[in-house]
Amino acid sequence: MQDLSFPLISRDAYLAVIARMTMQLLPCETVFVVGQADAKAKPGVLAVAGDVPGADIGALVAGFKGSTDQLAAENGVKAGLFAHAIDGFQAWVTRPLQHDGGGTAFLLCLNRPRQLFESSALTRLATLQASTDPMPKGGRKAHTGPPSGIAALTRYLDTRITATGISDTAPLALLRLDLGRIGPINDSDGWPVSDALIEGAYALLREIAPNPCFTVHLGGGSFAVVVPLERDVEKAEALGSAIIARMNEGKDNPDNGFPFEPYIGWAAYPFDAPDTDTLTGFANAALARIRGVRAGPCINRVAPEIAHAHADQMGMEADLRKAVAGGDFTINWLPVLETSTERVIAFEALVRWNRPGHGEIDPSFFLTCAENAGLIEDIDRWVLHDACRQAKAWKKPLGLSINVSPCWLDTERVASSIGEALQKSGLDPERLRIELSERRSFGSADSARKELARIRGMGVRLTLDDFGTGFGALERLTNYPFDQVKLDRMFVNRLGTDSRVETVLRSTLYMIHSLNMTCCAEGVETEEQLGFLDAHGCEEIQGFLIGRPTIQLPDYQDD
């Protein structure tokens, strides 16, 4: 592959990018980059963005320096109004630039309406990192792209959507672009190559997206483009298609093209979303629906079903945060039967949530949402403490099973959380079993092994839940110190009707026992299923045949 290093940008081109970037960032009508050799020298225009034929830069500079009513922000940012309109401009904001040579240089941003720039615009300009030299001291190339990150995008959208010029008759669209394949390119060719390709992709985006589009790099191979639509919503689709087509040109020739798989999801304000957060979320949801699906389209507008699903997800996440803060969960208890004696020997703690305005939510839905939102650790900790406290009060010292999501094993806080719950409740560790679902990622193998070893070191037993439904069942049985395997209900339900399933279960039970583990079967509903499992050595069962989940255990609690 040829050298893909991004060529050094000239000083004039660099300053032109700074001017255009600043015009988008505020936003404003015109931006000058002004240079002066000294305080007495005549100011000169180093770069300009906006249509300003015949503007008198000397009068504009003198005008803002002579203004009396001024606002100020960090990094030397100042704003005000001219005493009288100059070349049609009445509002100004300025900011000095880092300057490595002699003299001074500054940005001069102008608007025609006689209205001060908002303080939020001054704050954005104060955070701008820019120099007058594309190759500052130290030899590192200055970043020539737009303001980076979701924060810059959010600030820009907030400004545009709350502006009086944006309404039903002047909507905008947010395009979320994902280049894809960044990971494989990093692995095969290294970070310098992928970084150069990303910079080249940004340069291509700048070329394709017309003024006054706002383009921002969100990190890695992710970008966003805000497109003013002027009534024509299909303009966003056309621009997205043009971006995809240009990036796919010559993709089979790595020396000339971009070896990416570009995808675009988009949404329009106000038609699809009423505010910045919703617009951003809908564009992301539209992108997620098609990302990595090679057989489908490469560009996708948010659809009503996507919007509804995303809105419900966001609403559920917000309600879950409130529930975590208030501990607004309950525990239901599912009995565990020992097949040889047909006695209840333990109860499994099942967390339940009654969502305000929606009723009881399926645990698989809200627990998945909690995992995605980073709330699962808080919920698991609540269940650990409450379940251990309740079990300690039972008249009979029955066993207690608690589900813990393996997705936070990587934090190496699971064992300490279990130890804290046991200590505070006074529950005997030998009564406790921790269940970890095979369906979920265990994260780093080293961290998982350490945490599981610490848990077993307390005297707590470990169960691999949902066995047979994931991709790593045998790997987890051989690499992690489980004491028990819990067969998923999808196998148990087919006992008596599917001879292949019965053959698999017989072999599975033999394997489990050969590994010195016990077995529990979920979802047992018939005597025929119980008879098969008992005959082949399954030590424990759960299911509606012996009892449904209940919120109270009257036979095993103190009066």
Side-chain angles (χ1 to χ4, degrees), residues 60-386:
L60 290 167
V61 171
F64 90 75
K65 288 184 176 179
S67 298
T68 54
D69 296 329
Q70 298 184 6
L71 299 176
E74 295 179 355
N75 291 331
V77 174
K78 295 181 180 179
L81 301 173
F82 294 122
H84 304 284
I86 302 175
D87 291 332
F89 296 111
Q90 300 196 71
W92 60 268
V93 61
T94 184
R95 189 222 142 127
L97 293 176
Q98 178 184 343
H99 193 61
D100 295 329
T104 61
F106 54 88
L107 292 167
L108 177 58
C109 313
L110 304 167
N111 270 342
R112 288 183 171 84
R114 193 167 183 79
Q115 182 177 356
L116 283 168
F117 279 84
E118 296 181 359
S119 58
S120 59
L122 273 62
T123 300
R124 287 194 295 273
L125 188 58
T127 62
L128 176 67
Q129 298 295 320
S131 157
T132 58
D133 190 344
M135 184 61 72
K137 294 177 181 178
R140 293 190 62 187
K141 184 177 63 172
H143 177 61
T144 60
S148 297
I150 190 64
L153 174 64
T154 301
R155 288 195 299 265
Y156 181 80
L157 287 173
D158 281 342
T159 301
R160 296 293 291 163
I161 286 177
T162 57
T164 56
I166 300 296
S167 65
D168 291 342
T169 59
L172 58 81
L174 171 62
L175 276 61
R176 276 283 288 106
L177 168 67
D178 192 331
L179 298 180
R181 295 199 69 246
I182 295 297
I185 293 171
N186 286 335
D187 294 339
S188 61
D189 301 315
W191 286 99
V193 170
S194 63
D195 285 348
L197 287 168
I198 289 169
E199 288 194 64
Y202 168 63
L204 187 63
L205 277 179
R206 287 207 325 267
E207 178 185 332
I208 299 172
N211 268 327
C213 291
F214 176 79
T215 305
V216 63
H217 182 207
L218 302 177
S222 295
F223 296 85
V225 181
V226 180
V227 188
L229 296 176
E230 298 177 357
R231 297 177 183 270
D232 186 5
V233 178
E234 297 307 316
K235 179 180 177 182
E237 184 90 20
L239 177 59
S241 298
I243 292 171
I244 296 291
R246 285 292 300 277
M247 289 193 171
N248 281 333
E249 286 180 3
K251 66 183 299 183
D252 295 330
N253 183 351
D255 290 341
N256 299 321
F258 294 100
F260 298 118
E261 294 175 353
Y263 297 91
I264 291 177
W266 67 281
Y269 165 85
F271 306 113
D272 298 324
D275 53 51
T276 295
D277 290 341
T278 308
L279 181 69
T280 304
F282 282 5
N284 290 340
L287 174 63
R289 180 62 65 94
I290 61 168
R291 185 190 288 118
V293 182
R294 298 182 180 182
C298 295
I299 183 168
N300 182 41
R301 182 181 180 181
V302 67
E305 62 271 18
I306 300 175
H308 292 156
H310 178 80
D312 188 58
Q313 180 81 2
M314 293 300 100
M316 182 179 292
E317 182 178 322
D319 288 346
L320 266 178
R321 292 187 185 279
K322 295 177 183 176
V324 167
D328 299 329
F329 301 99
T330 56
I331 291 177
N332 280 7
W333 301 97
L334 182 65
V336 179
L337 186 80
E338 186 177 54
T339 54
S340 61
T341 63
E342 296 191 2
R343 291 188 299 108
V344 172
I345 60 170
F347 281 87
E348 180 181 356
L350 303 174
V351 63
R352 296 293 185 260
W353 177 43
N354 196 311
R355 182 182 176 191
H358 295 77
E360 189 164 300
I361 304 299
D362 187 324
S364 64
F365 290 158
F366 79 78
L367 291 176
T368 299
C369 179
E371 288 180 343
N372 295 335
L375 299 172
I376 193 65
E377 180 176 351
D378 294 319
I379 295 176
D380 283 352
R381 285 168 59 89
W382 182 90
V383 175
L384 280 167
H385 283 263
D386 199 67

Side-chain angles (χ1 to χ4, degrees), residues 31-51:
V31 175
F32 289 100
V33 180
V34 182
Q36 283 185 281
D38 55 55
K40 296 182 179 180
K42 183 179 179 180
V45 176
L46 304 179
V48 64
D51 186 14

